Amino acid sequence: MSEAVQWTPEAEARLKEIPFFVRPAARKKIEKFAQESGIQQITVEVYEQAKQKFGS
């Protein structure tokens, strides 16, 4: 993996709604989804797309 993806403050806020004990795994999955899609920045829209893909 090249460079880390950036998160917008709004997307970070959404991530914080996820229970703390699963948050690291969720962050990894969302970042992997973004990287595989060629997305450099995780916005609320990208967050929602990933959430739909993983069925959460």
Side-chain angles (χ1 to χ4, degrees):
M1 289 184 207
S2 53
E3 195 152 319
V5 240
Q6 300 298 309
W7 286 71
T8 63
E10 296 83 8
E12 280 279 0
R14 288 285 185 93
L15 184 67
K16 288 184 176 151
E17 294 173 4
I18 296 173
F20 75 93
F21 52 90
V22 292
R23 200 175 300 153
R27 178 185 285 272
K28 271 188 169 179
K29 279 179 105 171
I30 294 166
E31 288 178 351
K32 185 174 183 197
F33 168 79
Q35 287 175 336
E36 288 173 351
S37 303
I39 297 168
Q40 308 273 297
Q41 185 178 51
I42 296 173
T43 61
V44 172
E45 291 79 18
V46 174
Y47 174 90
E48 290 298 329
Q49 287 173 4
K51 191 173 167 185
Q52 281 184 336
K53 180 180 180 190
F54 302 121
S56 315

